[in-house]
Amino acid sequence: MDYFIELLFGGLTRGSIYALIALGYTMVYGIIGLINFAHGEIYMIGAFTSFIVATVLSIYGFPLLAIVVIAAVAAAVWSSAYGFTVEKLAYRPLRKAPRLAPLISAIGMSIFLQNYVLLAQTSDFLPFPELIPEFAFMEPVAHIVGSSDMVILVTTAVVMVALTCLIKFTKIGKAMRATAQDKTMAVLVGVNVDRVISATFIIGSALAAIGGLLIASHIGQINFYIGFLAGIKAFTAAVLGGIGSIPGAVLGSLVLGLTESFATGYISSDYEDVFAFSLLVLILIFKPSGLLGKAETKKV
Amino acid sequence: MSDSPTILEVEGLSKYFGGIKAIDNVDLDIRQGEIVALIGPNGAGKTTFFNCLTGIYKPTAGDIKLSDPRNGKSTRLNGKKPNKITEIGMARTFQNIRLFPTMSVLENVMIGRHCRTKSLIFGAITRNKATRIEEAQIIERSYEILKKVGLHRQVNEQARNLSYGAQRRLEIGRALATEPFLLLLDEPAAGMNPKETEALVALIREICAEGHSILLIEHDMKLVMTLSDRIFVMDYGKKIAQGTPVEVRENPAVIKAYLGEDVDA
Amino acid sequence: MFPVKELKRSALISLWFAFLTFPIMVIKVDPIERIVHWRWDNMFFIAFGSFVLSILAKVFMIQKERRASRKKRKIAAEPLIQRIAREPRFLYPLVVACFAFGVSFPFLFSTYQTNIMTTALMYVVLGLGLNIVVGVAGLLDLGYVAFYAVGAYSYALLNLNFDMGFWAVLPIGGLLAAFLGVILGFPVLRLRGDYLAIVTLGFGEIIRLVLENWNAFSQGPSGIANIPRPGFFGMEMTFAGGITYIYYIVLVLVVITIFVVNRLQNSRLGRAWLALREDEIACQAMGIDKTKTKLIAFSLGAFWAGFVGVLFAAKTTFVNPASFTFLESAIILSIVVLGGMGSIIGVIVGALILILLPEYLRALSEYRMLAFGAILVIMMVFKPEGIISNVRRSYKFKGTNTPEGEIHE
């Protein structure tokens, strides 16, 4: 039973991280219909930025709480800046191009950013400083659920609520929903679509950065290549839930996280990534609209 | 005309998008050699009806039966793929022109010959005699069709460089290249000037005289009234009237549907 | 000449990039030794570089606009390559010269050079194969490397387990890859373009992961070594001789591929592919079986990858899963995109540039993947048609009495 609970929490933790990244995919897809292939790299840059900032601060002897806060803010700020820049450079000029052009551009961006970090930093795995302490009150259950699992779940939940409020109640959130439904109409009623798209990239990138910080401190190491796999998996989660749908992304992420956790726990850990990829291929073939997505009707 | 065999029989066709009934229980039939028009206000479901016939949409309910007058074989079209339906002998044009813009006028028509020819990888690589003869025939036949639709002077032009009216005629030519016995035209006169429309009427008559039957969607009432043998009227997804032009013109339901529009023009 | 407003804009851009790249480019920490390196010189390079690049990009954009407006007034001058390709007087001697150079290459250069050239030519074939799928038929295949892996592993495994020779496996490798292409293509080819791309990517990764983890079958990450080089009527060959021999095999394959791809493009099938790329729905309405036509393109591309895979195994005498990562697919895609989608000459030039340049400019080889990524973005943004835009043969109709399709290039 303990093992089951351990896997359950492991799966939920994983799922939460996927959700933080998947939201970026799903929001961008919902608004401009692009698979932002470079999104995994934004997450990786978030992890790297927080690693660099946290390590520098700990070398200069800052207190733990300050390190956590500053590293999180720095990760969010720089990831957003990267997301914003990537959109401006690689996607905005291609807004009217055929569908595959921005996707190829996105793939190029992803490869570019990976190698940029590789060249500017290192190809080695780097040890990530321990930012989440073992809480005393978690002591009795520590052998099943770690403190960092708890922190990840709580943080994700808080972020989700904040995002929901942002989209439901703020002006930019309303503009985003309007643009997602009908871009032309949104322009006609005075929505600045360019600004909405930029905002979407910024928000999505910041979420991915938080995810990057959390997973890096949870696993304890990072390298330049973590974005690729995490990106694909989060994308799988977004598609599973129905791409374009925000609740769908969260649901899909949790389902994927739990599936992976139980599959590796009860079946075999050798094929951990094969599960995700197979799931991706199968959903796209059999139910491309996902769990909560709407089927598209082609207009002739 | 009434004793000609029925080539298209649509019974109780419905298409729902979610809760919206785009087409609701529509019957329609076309006999060999007829020109039939499908009219109705914008959003009446005419194009959706075409898309159901040609297999682009899957109808929610109803039956579509197509009978080839050349051999009397009849086929149920429900659930068939668009390319199969074209192969059986029903071709269409599109309301918002869908040519292959960067291909030449000739090549556009040559694509129409695709389903009537056979050569594949082996033929393409070896370019054997059968393939060469087939290619020559494709080109010859395509050129004849272009002559018929009056585009043989622009044969090497890129399709996107043609005028609007010429593009519409090219679409008709391309559809003819598939050797259909029934031709569906979706607003063939849209965007044409009066002179072009006149030429179009002549072209449609000519095509019909060659033994093709025609079903057309059109908003140009003058064209509809002069060309059609029979007219079906749709509104809000339902068929509200059918009959000869004279009957339809005097039908109160039709006048109501077109409220304010000049039906008698 | 260059407006002050633009200079200001460029200055702002360079400030932005200095900020953007600050943590990653400037700070480097050593978490073990607990030392921070501040690399301020990098910030200067970034600021200066982005300033210059932003000006260049702007100049390029202005010129492009000017050219576009000029195009409206009169038909644009044909690019040089296009004119050469159109004129048999120039084309044939050029082809003969290229071929002669190709044949005499091993005599003119060292074994080392020949070996590099062989690699480049293999990428030419891979590029041409992928070009059928991506460039001509418009299907973005991101798992192309999977078929390459199938070819390579067919030779490695069939040789290991059944002692089969290179020449016997060569067609088998191609056919297996094509078969796999059909199996995969059948369910996925009805997907929309971007979904297709992701599914093929996933599929490519699955193949690699299986090869990595299924030790009993593929010997896992350590791979299979001591694969024999191709034989020549049982003759023993020196190392250099073997390399030259493979070079010629690949050269012949290049010639065959060009011939076949060229013929395919100008056939009933090639027309259908082009039409499919332009408008799927119209294609179906014209009676073209969408799935079947795509499937043929997809499996033909796979066939070529399988072919080259067998050659790759024979050339390196060693295969392991690490040679078949997504990046390999991305490299081949870069070749097709850089060269110009659908253009045979373009793909050849693209492959030679992208593979030979990093080999000869060793200093650049570190930046190879960075450049590949940048190429994909830059080409899409500035020149989506590639460096050599597709000189598509279109059917010209001559005369009205004897209708006959004359083909011009």
Side-chain angles (χ1 to χ4, degrees), chain C residues 273-292:
Chain C
W273 286 335
L274 279 174
L276 211 52
R277 190 176 70 179
E278 301 218 324
D279 192 329
E280 271 189 19
I281 286 176
C283 253
Q284 284 181 289
M286 288 305 110
I288 292 176
D289 189 333
K290 182 172 92 171
T291 319
K292 186 176 149 197

Side-chain angles (χ1 to χ4, degrees), chain C residues 177-249:
Chain C
F179 178 67
L180 198 69
V182 173
I183 300 272
L184 170 73
F186 198 71
V188 307
L189 282 174
R190 59 198 171 84
L191 291 175
R192 234 184 27 215
D194 44 357
Y195 278 12
L196 174 73
I198 300 294
V199 168
T200 50
L201 167 79
F203 171 74
E205 286 296 295
I206 290 173
I207 294 276
R208 187 181 61 80
L209 288 166
V210 167
L211 287 174
E212 216 157 77
N213 289 302
W214 193 2
N215 289 324
F217 172 71
S218 64
Q219 304 195 359
S222 53
I224 300 168
N226 295 326
I227 304 166
R229 291 208 162 79
F232 187 64
F233 301 112
M235 249 164 62
E236 280 294 311
M237 248 182 292
T238 59
F239 176 72
I243 285 183
T244 312
Y245 182 44
I246 290 202
Y247 172 82
Y248 281 119
I249 295 174

Side-chain angles (χ1 to χ4, degrees), chain B residues 45-65:
Chain B
K46 305 180 300 284
T47 296
T48 309
F49 186 77
F50 264 30
N51 287 340
C52 285
L53 290 191
T54 51
I56 291 171
Y57 291 158
K58 219 171 148 184
T60 313
D63 263 317
I64 307 165
K65 213 173 81 191

Side-chain angles (χ1 to χ4, degrees), chain B residues 56 81-84 86-87 90-92 94 98-104 106-107 110-115 117-121 124-127 134-136 138-140 143 147 155-156 171 174-175 178, chain C residues 259-260 262-264 266-272 274-293 296 300 304 392-400 403-407:
Chain B
I56 291 171
K81 281 193 190 162
N83 54 298
K84 274 276 168 273
T86 307
E87 247 183 85
M90 180 163 76
R92 70 172 290 178
F94 292 91
R98 300 191 84 127
L99 289 166
F100 307 111
T102 69
M103 297 174 87
S104 76
L106 182 68
E107 282 170 324
M110 286 167 82
I111 289 290
R113 297 297 302 155
H114 190 94
C115 61
T117 45
K118 282 200 280 292
S119 92
L120 271 178
I121 308 174
I125 295 172
T126 58
R127 220 171 260 176
E134 192 181 87
E135 278 292 283
I138 291 175
I139 292 172
E140 192 174 344
Y143 189 72
K147 248 184 181 163
V155 59
N156 295 330
E171 273 221 333
R174 191 178 65 171
T178 66
Chain C
F259 176 80
V260 169
N262 188 33
R263 284 239 158 142
L264 281 172
N266 299 303
S267 67
R268 168 177 174 269
L269 202 55
R271 271 198 305 276
L274 279 174
L276 211 52
R277 190 176 70 179
E278 301 218 324
D279 192 329
E280 271 189 19
I281 286 176
C283 253
Q284 284 181 289
M286 288 305 110
I288 292 176
D289 189 333
K290 182 172 92 171
T291 319
K292 186 176 149 197
T293 311
I296 292 173
L300 266 175
W304 251 269
R392 199 168 67 75
R393 294 173 170 215
S394 70
Y395 291 78
K396 297 277 182 203
F397 193 82
K398 295 214 291 196
T400 44
E404 200 169 332
E406 253 313 295
I407 291 163

Side-chain angles (χ1 to χ4, degrees), chain A residues 77-96:
Chain A
V77 165
W78 264 285
S79 278
S80 307
Y82 275 95
F84 172 81
T85 313
V86 165
E87 193 270 327
K88 274 225 149 157
L89 288 181
Y91 308 148
R92 184 160 299 184
L94 296 172
R95 202 148 309 150
K96 290 198 178 70

